[in-house]
Amino acid sequence: MADFIQALLGHYNNWAFILLLMIGFYAMIAKNNLIKKVIGMSIFQTAIILFYVSMAVKKNSTIPILDHGHGAVEHAIDVAAYASPLPHVLMLTAIVVGVATLGVALAIIQKIHRTYDTIEEDEIMEIIAQ
Amino acid sequence: MEQIPFLEATPLLAVMASLVAVPLIALSGNRPNLREFWTFLAGGVKLFLVLSMASWILAGHTHTYELWQILPGISLTFVVDGFGMLFALVASSLWILTSIYSIGYMRALDEHAQTRYFCFFAVSLSATLGVAFSGNLLTLYLFYEMLSLSTYPLVTHHQDEEARSGGRKYLTYLLSTSIGLALPAMLITYSITGTLDFNSMGVFGEGVSKGVLVALLLMFVFGFSKAGMMPFHSWLPGAMVAPTPVSALLHAVAVVKVGVFSIGRILTGIFGIDLMASQDLNTIVCIIASFTVLVSSLIALSQDNLKRRLAFSTVGQLSYIILGIGLATKLGVEGGMTHIAMHAFGKITLFFCAGAIFVATGKQYISQMVGIGRRMPITMFAFFVGSLSVIGLPPAGGLISKLMMVRGALEADMAWVLAVYLVSSFLNAAYFLPIVYKAYFCTEEEALFENKVQEAPLCCWLPPAITATISVVLFFYPSIFLGFAQVMMIGR
Amino acid sequence: MIQSQLPILIIVMPLLMALVIFLLGHKNEGLCFYLHVLGMAGLFAAALGILDQVVTSGTAIHYYLGGWPAPYGIELVIDHLNSMVIAMVAAVTLLVAFYSRQTVPAEVPMRTEHEKVPLRVRNYYVLYNLLVAGLLGLTATGDAFNLYVLLEIATLSTYGLLALGRGRAYYATFKYLIMGTIGASFYLLGVGYLFIMTGSLNMADLFTLLDTAFMQQSMSITIAFAMILVGVWVKMAFFPFHGWLPNAYTVASTTSSCLIAPLMTKVSVYVMIRLMFSVFSAQYVFEILGWQKIVVPMAAAAILFGSISALGQKNLKRMLTYIVVAEVGYMVGGAWLGNVNGYTGAVYHILADGMMTLCVFMAIGAVSYKTGDASLESMRGIFRKMPVTSVVFLVGAFAMIGIPPTCGFFSKWYLVTGAYEAGQWLFLGALLASSLINAIIFFRIIETGYFPDFNKAHGHGHHTDKTVVAEAPLSMLVPMVITASSLVLIGLFSKDIINNLIRHSVPPGLF
């Protein structure tokens, strides 16, 4: 039991991102309003970004910048003292992708609104069915 | 190694001859005489090319021509041997006669889309020769499918509702069996043996379980449903909606014989007759074929439409051939192979006559043909000779091959097959001879025709007269075709 | 010099071309088409150059972006497998580029009541180029995260292209967008788990790192694999994740569906194969996980579902989209059979199916271009009205059914053999059943084209009123004829394709 709680708490970042992921997923699948779907999509994507960023966290580590300049003394690099920068860099790209997707989604919703005069899914389905 | 007396690529050229003619035929669509000239030219060239290989083959050689390696380890290959030669000769010589007949028939009835008709006729002849010269199962399958598709426009030529349903049935049966049964059987065979080449010793060798062999055999026999084995036969009567020359060449000669030929090839070249006999596979084939022979003959008895009666007769006669080859004895196989030729000449005569009657009088039903012998004596005499050949009575060629198959049955110790042959011959006689009898011998009151000779156009009665004559000639000189079959069985 | 830069050129060239068309096409819309065709022709030449390099040298090309060595920088790897896919993609895009000359101006500037500004041809070609850049990039890349980015570039342009359709296009595209994002996110999650376990994103590096007993037993790796699979399955519309595809592709414009239907699913299948065998390994996938017991029956279900649904469709384009769903099942099943024949069939089918999907979509597109709709009834009398189009359609149909010597026969050959060897009877049955159903579907269309309408016609046959030949314009016919002949040529040259390309790419561990 103690182990289980340990596992539960030790990976709290995982639980947080899974929770967000599920909220987003639910909104994308179950919401009727298209804008709400898109909000869900954003939450979904953000959860993944959180997951990546949190995986880079390392206790007692600092930003990965080597201070060789300004007359500082050369010293041996202790890798463990630096956080991995890669996940952050990756997520910069993922954020860009997310924003682009969001933009396209909003543009399409705008078009849908112009065509059907509604952004409620059931009403659109009704119009299409006619 | 002796020098071959013809070009290396002759089999390919023979296959291509009619295909090359297709664009020419299509382009001269509005000049019918020129268009028919191309057909005859192609037919002549084709027959010449086939004949040029005949003596070499009769001398016991085979000729292999590898065209194109299409998959790693599998090529498109042409092999000319006795069996293929026999079939190619039948098909290419009858194409010319059918073309003559087609001209008479199509022009007399003023059919539409004649250019399309002659184009697809040429394509299907290419496919037929392709099957005849196939050196392995893949090549055979390729041409087999090509034939199915290229004959569809011919079968549905009239483009009316009846043609549509007939055509539907035609393709449904042919494609579903070839894709659903023959293709997987071919792939499984390849997977087991690593080869698809025909080999008179068979390709399976030892160690393939009997269950697998039986399954493959059934898949092959029913997969090539052009052979019309019951229960996959009903496309054949359905396809009788086609114009009569199509029925004549394609459904008495090319299409159905391609089915029989394919099964024959597989029995002799993939299974091998030794394996057939040692594993009792021949019994299975004989049972299936006998069933079809008897049932189809009984059905034929009840048909009033002449073409449908001929169709069911064809179903039965095809199974004769399978039965003969399926006996897996020397005489049985020779007889079966020869029967391809004998039946072709006999049956095409009958179809030609049916068409000639339709052209001259518009009649399609047997009950309307009482006394027709007075009006069309030549046609009906040819019909008589043709039916003798199909029944197996002298002096027509059918007797020779039938006798050989009967002897083959005795050789294989399968006396019950003998009974099948006898009963079915009796049935054949029962459904053919009354037609001839009623055509000539009827009282004045019964006769539906005036006592005045009025034949169909020359192009319509001459071809059946020729084929009937050939049927008789084959009785006296069966070795024309028998020779090729015997070449296949040398050393047994 | 330029030879060694080809791998990056195929990605940069369409990107630049998008920019060039955007700038130059502003004043002159007519110029866009010529610029676009020029760009695509250059791309095709580059793709052939790459293919030639790979085949001649017999080894993979490694290109390091910015000169950074392999596990640190981004690497493009072009081997026998993806050089073929790249060539296929480039060929399809070039053919569609020609084809689009008339269809894009006819379909793109559509006005609705609310819009007074026409959408420009220019914008269409910009999106087109971006899509091509994304597709080629994700095919060429050797980096798992880079693949995600390029996959999204491709899909984002796809959304734009599909939304340019008629009627329900916006809504259908929105659905696709939601599904596509879910798919991509799953993929990204999977890559995240891989990164946590290994600290690497380079495919070759991952392959080495994952090849240890510890990794192979790890639950995290299994989850990563599962998520990546689900991600690409959504993208390729593998049953049961196919829901978005028929809607989105049916309502798309002719050009868009011709472009996207052959490419998107096929490239996604390539991605799956690449990840299965170049990141994970055949041994891991088939022996340690052993999921083929589930996936191959799923593929069989996809085939059957797709084919049977296609059978019930009245709209021809919609029917074809269901066939696309079925064909995805062919390839997934083939790849998961776990033997060389299945693999060969799947990879060959990527090429074959890309071309034959293009062929039938183009033919149906030409018919709907002339007749204004794509219902079964629009095919009536098509053999007389549009003889060339109908022959092209016939060839495509034969390939779909699997009639030799078209390429469809040979992929079926390997798939069926593979299924037999693997003892996957359900999959084997599904393959054959789908061939038969395709035969029914296509012959129903051919029949409609060949026979007159009996409900309208009075009397019997013989009423061959001279229909005027009204063929599609040459800019559509030429690419159509080329595509149709390529189906036969791919079939006839199967041996060379298999011996020179596919055989070299067979992953270790397959027998």
Side-chain angles (χ1 to χ4, degrees):
Chain A
M1 192 63 197
D3 281 356
F4 179 68
I5 294 175
Q6 185 67 32
L8 213 60
L9 294 177
H11 296 285
Y12 65 90
N13 59 326
N14 275 16
W15 301 116
F17 109 81
I18 288 173
L19 187 68
L20 283 175
L21 205 67
M22 286 305 128
I23 294 173
F25 197 64
Y26 167 76
M28 283 162 93
I29 300 298
K31 285 293 169 190
N32 195 28
N33 185 302
L34 297 188
I35 291 286
K36 285 184 182 165
K37 274 182 189 279
V38 172
I39 293 173
M41 187 180 84
S42 273
I43 298 175
F44 193 74
Q45 287 175 318
T46 312
I48 295 170
I49 292 170
L50 187 66
F51 161 67
Y52 265 82
V53 171
S54 71
M55 82 167 81
V57 171
K58 207 189 291 178
K59 273 193 181 131
N60 303 323
S61 63
T62 182
I63 46 168
I65 297 175
L66 296 184
D67 189 10
H68 288 310
H70 311 295
V73 189
E74 288 270 345
H75 51 80
I77 301 165
D78 178 17
V79 180
Y82 298 100
S84 168
L86 196 56
H88 301 86
V89 179
L90 298 179
M91 281 314 104
L92 284 179
T93 324
I95 290 169
V96 173
V97 171
V99 170
T101 317
L102 188 64
V104 174
L106 290 175
I108 291 176
I109 291 179
Q110 215 179 10
K111 290 281 192 187
I112 290 176
H113 186 254
R114 282 186 193 170
T115 318
Y116 301 109
D117 220 20
T118 175
I119 50 168
E120 298 292 325
E121 203 168 24
D122 48 357
E123 293 174 20
I124 296 171
M125 292 304 279
E126 249 172 56
I127 297 173
I128 289 174
Q130 281 165 10
Chain B
M1 189 68 197
E2 268 180 89
Q3 188 68 35
I4 50 167
F6 48 85
L7 280 175
E8 186 84 5
T10 310
L12 174 67
L13 296 177
V15 171
M16 294 302 291
S18 51
L19 214 52
V20 171
V22 170
L24 298 171
I25 295 172
L27 286 177
S28 42
N30 42 15
R31 295 173 62 191
N33 287 333
L34 180 65
R35 181 184 67 197
E36 266 68 291
F37 166 75
W38 294 123
T39 300
F40 284 116
L41 184 67
V45 170
K46 205 178 201 63
L47 185 58
F48 171 76
L49 288 170
V50 172
L51 281 175
S52 72
M53 293 184 285
S55 60
W56 174 260
I57 302 300
L58 270 181
H61 302 283
T62 55
H63 173 56
T64 308
Y65 178 68
E66 186 179 331
L67 177 64
W68 183 254
Q69 200 181 354
I70 196 154
L71 284 176
I74 309 174
S75 305
L76 291 183
T77 309
F78 292 122
V79 170
V80 188
D81 60 5
F83 191 22
M85 195 61 205
L86 181 150
F87 184 43
L89 206 56
V90 171
S92 55
S93 59
L94 285 178
W95 184 34
I96 298 179
L97 288 173
T98 314
S99 297
I100 303 175
Y101 183 76
S102 294
I103 294 168
Y105 183 89
M106 300 299 275
R107 291 191 183 177
L109 293 180
D110 195 22
E111 287 278 353
H112 74 295
Q114 292 191 18
T115 308
R116 180 183 75 202
Y117 171 89
F118 282 106
C119 281
F120 281 103
F121 225 127
V123 177
S124 46
L125 249 292
S126 274
T128 309
L129 278 215
V131 170
F133 291 148
S134 290
N136 59 38
L137 208 45
L138 177 67
T139 319
L140 188 137
Y141 185 82
L142 190 152
F143 285 109
Y144 181 90
E145 292 290 41
M146 182 173 155
L147 184 64
S148 305
L149 296 170
S150 62
T151 45
Y152 175 77
L154 295 174
V155 171
T156 57
H157 183 82
H158 291 306
Q159 288 178 275
D160 52 16
E161 258 168 290
E162 207 187 348
R164 183 171 68 174
S165 66
R168 229 177 237 180
K169 208 176 214 178
Y170 184 72
L171 275 187
T172 310
Y173 275 85
L174 295 190
L175 280 185
S176 63
T177 50
S178 71
I179 294 176
L181 294 171
L183 176 64
M186 171 164 77
L187 288 169
I188 292 169
T189 306
Y190 185 64
S191 219
I192 295 174
T193 64
T195 179
L196 287 177
D197 293 339
F198 298 126
N199 179 341
S200 61
M201 306 310 291
V203 296
F204 286 109
E206 302 290 316
V208 181
S209 74
K210 187 171 176 185
V212 175
L213 286 177
V214 171
L216 285 175
L217 180 77
L218 294 177
M219 283 164 91
F220 276 125
V221 168
F222 290 120
F224 288 98
S225 64
K226 285 200 175 93
M229 295 291 254
M230 283 185 179
F232 295 106
H233 67 285
S234 67
W235 61 270
L236 184 52
M240 287 302 144
V241 297
T244 307
V246 176
S247 311
L249 183 69
L250 301 182
H251 300 119
V253 186
V255 172
V256 293
K257 294 292 159 58
V258 160
V260 171
F261 180 83
S262 304
I263 294 178
R265 262 282 191 248
I266 285 157
L267 296 184
T268 56
I270 294 290
F271 289 94
I273 61 172
D274 297 332
L275 186 76
M276 294 273 298
S278 66
Q279 296 280 340
D280 280 338
L281 299 177
N282 52 357
T283 320
I284 299 172
V285 177
C286 289
I287 290 171
I288 302 170
S290 306
F291 176 78
T292 309
V293 166
L294 294 176
V295 174
S296 67
S297 302
L298 286 171
I299 297 176
L301 271 176
S302 67
Q303 299 294 323
D304 190 31
N305 184 315
L306 180 55
K307 273 172 80 180
R308 280 183 72 86
R309 186 176 284 193
L310 293 178
F312 277 104
S313 155
T314 305
V315 173
Q317 296 288 326
L318 294 173
S319 290
Y320 266 53
I321 298 168
I322 307 277
L323 192 54
I325 297 175
L327 288 169
T329 60
K330 180 174 183 290
L331 281 171
V333 173
E334 283 176 13
M337 289 176 176
T338 317
H339 198 59
I340 289 184
M342 300 304 186
H343 173 248
F345 283 97
K347 189 48 75 53
I348 204 167
T349 311
L350 297 176
F351 270 107
F352 281 160
C353 295
I357 294 171
F358 180 66
V359 168
T361 67
K363 304 286 186 233
Q364 300 187 39
Y365 293 93
I366 295 162
S367 51
Q368 301 168 335
M369 292 177 189
V370 179
I372 197 163
R374 305 166 181 212
R375 172 145 172 209
M376 306 176 74
I378 307 175
T379 308
M380 283 320 287
F381 189 71
F383 190 94
F384 177 58
V385 175
S387 53
L388 287 185
S389 183
V390 173
I391 300 165
L393 291 174
L399 175 69
I400 309 290
S401 47
K402 229 174 209 181
L403 266 183
M404 291 184 72
M405 290 191 277
V406 168
R407 284 166 62 200
L410 295 175
E411 204 176 39
D413 273 339
M414 288 202 256
W416 59 273
V417 174
L418 189 67
V420 172
Y421 275 117
L422 291 178
V423 172
S424 72
S425 293
F426 175 72
L427 288 172
N428 291 349
Y431 61 70
F432 275 135
L433 293 183
I435 306 175
V436 182
Y437 181 82
K438 281 284 179 193
Y440 285 108
F441 305 106
C442 61
T443 58
E444 288 296 328
E445 297 84 63
E446 278 178 325
L448 298 171
F449 297 94
E450 287 175 30
N451 208 346
K452 185 180 143 203
V453 174
Q454 196 183 357
E455 281 283 352
L458 174 74
C459 281
C460 285
W461 65 256
L462 187 62
I466 296 174
T467 50
T469 317
I470 296 174
S471 285
V472 175
V473 170
L474 285 176
F475 175 74
F476 295 103
Y477 301 100
S479 59
I480 299 172
F481 289 110
L482 189 56
F484 292 113
Q486 280 165 336
V487 168
M488 288 300 286
M489 288 288 130
I490 283 173
R492 283 183 192 275
Chain C
M1 180 56 206
I2 197 153
Q3 284 274 307
S4 61
Q5 300 296 329
L6 284 180
I8 190 66
L9 267 181
I10 57 167
I11 306 171
V12 172
M13 236 161 50
L15 272 181
L16 282 180
M17 199 41 102
L19 198 64
V20 170
I21 292 177
F22 187 79
L23 293 175
L24 294 183
H26 184 62
K27 285 274 182 308
N28 184 356
E29 290 232 307
L31 196 62
C32 295
F33 168 75
Y34 296 100
L35 280 174
H36 181 65
V37 166
L38 192 72
M40 290 300 144
L43 204 59
F44 184 61
L48 286 186
I50 291 174
L51 190 67
D52 177 61
Q53 270 183 44
V54 171
V55 173
T56 337
S57 69
T59 53
I61 306 173
H62 293 268
Y63 184 91
Y64 304 103
L65 286 183
W68 290 91
Y72 308 111
I74 293 172
E75 182 192 14
L76 302 183
V77 184
I78 301 181
D79 61 6
H80 289 88
L81 173 59
N82 55 357
S83 60
M84 186 187 90
V85 180
I86 286 172
M88 190 272 282
V89 173
V92 170
T93 50
L94 178 62
L95 289 166
V96 178
F98 274 113
Y99 185 84
S100 70
R101 184 184 160 85
Q102 314 265 342
T103 52
V104 168
E107 290 181 323
V108 167
M110 42 172 244
R111 293 159 188 267
T112 60
E113 289 165 41
H114 308 281
E115 293 171 70
K116 294 296 171 235
V117 187
L119 288 168
R120 286 162 179 257
V121 172
R122 177 194 71 169
N123 295 3
Y124 192 90
Y125 284 125
V126 169
L127 282 175
Y128 191 138
N129 273 292
L130 290 177
L131 169 65
V132 175
L135 286 175
L136 289 178
L138 79 96
T139 315
T141 189
D143 185 285
F145 185 79
N146 198 230
L147 196 150
Y148 162 75
V149 178
L150 289 158
L151 186 65
E152 280 307 83
I153 291 180
T155 15
L156 280 171
S157 351
T158 314
Y159 303 146
L161 289 170
L162 290 177
L164 290 170
R166 301 192 183 98
R168 298 166 55 189
Y170 297 133
Y171 182 64
T173 311
F174 184 81
K175 294 289 260 188
Y176 176 26
L177 187 143
I178 295 288
M179 281 309 281
T181 307
I182 293 176
S185 300
F186 266 103
Y187 174 79
L188 190 58
L189 266 180
V191 172
Y193 279 107
L194 282 186
F195 184 70
I196 291 180
M197 295 304 290
T198 63
S200 179
L201 290 170
N202 182 290
M203 289 184 188
D205 199 31
L206 279 171
F207 184 83
T208 334
L209 291 169
L210 289 175
D211 192 24
T212 62
F214 170 72
M215 291 291 182
Q216 288 176 342
Q217 297 305 324
S218 161
M219 194 57 174
S220 305
I221 297 296
T222 312
I223 290 177
F225 184 59
M227 286 188 164
I228 287 177
L229 271 186
V230 171
V232 289
W233 282 348
V234 173
K235 288 279 182 190
M236 72 174 78
F238 180 54
F239 182 84
F241 307 107
H242 64 280
W244 56 270
L245 186 139
N247 281 327
Y249 286 7
T250 308
V251 290
S253 70
T254 303
T255 329
S256 299
S257 45
C258 283
L259 180 65
I260 296 167
L263 293 183
M264 207 57 211
T265 51
K266 259 50 85 181
V267 171
S268 307
V269 171
Y270 156 77
V271 169
M272 183 192 73
I273 291 177
R274 172 62 82 199
L275 293 169
M276 277 168 70
F277 299 119
S278 299
V279 173
F280 301 91
S281 58
Q283 185 215 3
Y284 180 71
V285 173
F286 297 121
E287 285 165 33
I288 295 175
L289 293 182
W291 288 353
Q292 66 270 33
K293 287 186 209 74
I294 307 156
V295 179
V296 178
M298 267 168 77
I303 295 172
L304 291 176
F305 171 83
S307 300
I308 292 170
S309 309
L311 199 56
Q313 301 304 321
K314 295 265 183 298
N315 181 306
L316 295 183
K317 219 159 147 195
R318 199 174 178 78
M319 181 206 88
L320 292 182
T321 60
Y322 277 107
I323 293 182
V324 170
V325 172
E327 302 280 338
V328 169
Y330 279 45
M331 289 176 277
V332 174
W336 278 85
L337 284 174
N339 53 40
V340 174
N341 280 323
Y343 174 86
T344 311
V347 174
Y348 182 87
H349 202 59
I350 291 181
L351 175 68
D353 190 43
M355 295 315 278
M356 63 205 203
T357 311
L358 176 68
C359 185
V360 285
F361 266 93
M362 274 179 162
I364 296 290
V367 173
S368 67
Y369 177 79
K370 292 303 282 188
T371 60
D373 84 320
S375 64
L376 187 59
E377 217 31 53
S378 68
M379 297 297 282
R380 183 74 66 198
I382 208 71
F383 284 91
R384 285 175 175 279
K385 266 189 288 183
M386 304 172 77
V388 181
T389 307
S390 39
V391 169
V392 169
F393 182 76
L394 270 185
V395 176
F398 289 166
M400 288 274 183
I401 300 168
I403 287 170
T406 55
C407 53
F409 174 76
F410 297 100
S411 44
K412 213 153 280 172
W413 175 285
Y414 280 101
L415 290 172
V416 172
T417 313
Y420 169 75
E421 285 172 1
Q424 294 277 9
W425 302 107
L426 189 64
F427 184 61
L428 197 154
L431 283 172
L432 298 174
S434 123
S435 292
L436 294 178
I437 296 175
N438 281 355
I440 296 171
I441 290 171
F442 284 107
F443 276 103
R444 198 179 54 183
I445 301 174
I446 292 165
E447 212 178 67
T448 313
Y450 183 69
F451 289 96
D453 191 351
F454 299 125
N455 298 327
K456 285 182 197 158
H458 303 287
H460 251 272
H462 296 295
H463 44 76
T464 49
D465 50 328
K466 286 282 174 230
T467 330
V468 187
V469 174
E471 255 308 345
L474 213 57
S475 65
M476 294 169 92
L477 285 184
V478 173
M480 273 158 64
V481 170
I482 294 175
T483 312
S485 17
S486 80
L487 294 184
V488 179
L489 288 178
I490 293 173
L492 287 178
F493 287 92
S494 303
K495 182 203 74 179
D496 302 274
I497 292 169
I498 289 165
N499 276 349
N500 290 329
L501 291 167
I502 301 178
R503 279 281 151 83
H504 290 283
S505 75
V506 174
L510 284 190
F511 301 101

